[in-house]
Amino acid sequence: MVTDSTAGAGVGGEPECSDSLRTFGAVVQALREHAGLSRAELGELVRFSKHTVASVELGRRMPDPAFVERAEPALGNTGALRKAAAHLARQPGLAAWFRQWARLEAMAISLCTYECRVVPGLLQTEAYARAVSLSVPPLPDEEEMSARIAARLARQELLSTRRKPPTAFSFILEQAVLERYTGGKEVTRELLDHLLGVMERHWNVEVQVMPLRRPVHAGLDGPLQLLETPENQWFAYSEGQKNGRLITDRKEISVLQQRYAKLRSQALAPEDSVSLLKRMRGAL
């Protein structure tokens, strides 16, 4: 989600707040308060959590189309939300080709990510995100990099177990990505501590490491992502240099699901992955 637009930092970027998002959020909040509703009460009416309502109102999250359509009648049927939603935009940090996926990702009930280039953005530390930003030309200026990193860290709210329902995450990371020591030993040490902490604190997050030596490997075609919506519809996403593709064809998605299932069987089990990460941490 960067080149995965969720993973790295220099190529695609993260969802970032924009004036239009903040303005839309302010309109939602004003209409909600005028209707005498709490965030939790509006959440029940639009079938999203109160945390999602808060994120929309604060301009941190692009509202899903279903949110807009359900909120409109709940907040007076003025037509203001539909009209305002048509003008929503993010700051340039989010690659245009990634926007559709980002909107789906925000509402996903399950998300599967195989990554062989960088640690996905949802699992990055601030220092690692900065190191990635400084690795991929063209280099950002300080203001752009600060905004990008802040947005990436804020986006990690998606991992929260307070979401209803919490999103089920599966990550498969190549050991080589961690052995690269992006940013140096100190950055890598902090990153490994962070990964272990995420695995310990978030029961909805499963991390598997693909070992360096794996003669048969189902991921040789590159990184991939799969997600499931609340309506149990599946989407996939693949990405390369300066481009990405949202995949909706069921046959293509089925092929990628088969590959991801094979990758899970080829990677180390979660408990063995924890042991490997601890050994790597101890060796630094």
Side-chain angles (χ1 to χ4, degrees), residues 175 179 181 192 196 209 211 268 271-284:
Q175 182 179 346
E179 296 276 15
Y181 290 7
L192 292 174
L196 289 166
V209 177
L268 298 176
E271 56 271 22
D272 294 330
S273 296
V274 168
S275 297
L276 175 60
L277 293 174
K278 288 182 177 179
R279 291 197 302 274
M280 292 174 64
R281 171 64 175 83
L284 286 170

Side-chain angles (χ1 to χ4, degrees), residues 38-112:
S38 66
R39 285 174 173 170
E41 289 169 336
L42 177 58
E44 290 183 8
L45 292 173
V46 298
R47 302 200 291 280
F48 284 87
S49 73
K50 66 179 180 181
H51 304 291
T52 297
V53 174
S55 293
V56 170
E57 290 187 351
L58 295 172
R60 294 199 305 252
R61 172 171 173 163
M62 179 76 82
D64 185 83
F67 180 97
V68 177
E69 289 305 311
R70 295 168 190 165
E72 189 68 73
L75 298 177
N77 248 335
T78 63
L81 296 184
R82 291 191 184 98
K83 290 181 180 179
H87 300 284
L88 286 175
R90 298 182 192 271
Q91 291 179 348
L94 183 63
W97 64 77
F98 185 69
R99 289 174 184 167
Q100 284 180 287
W101 178 260
R103 295 178 69 176
L104 290 167
E105 184 186 56
M107 59 181 286
I109 61 172
S110 64
L111 181 65
C112 302

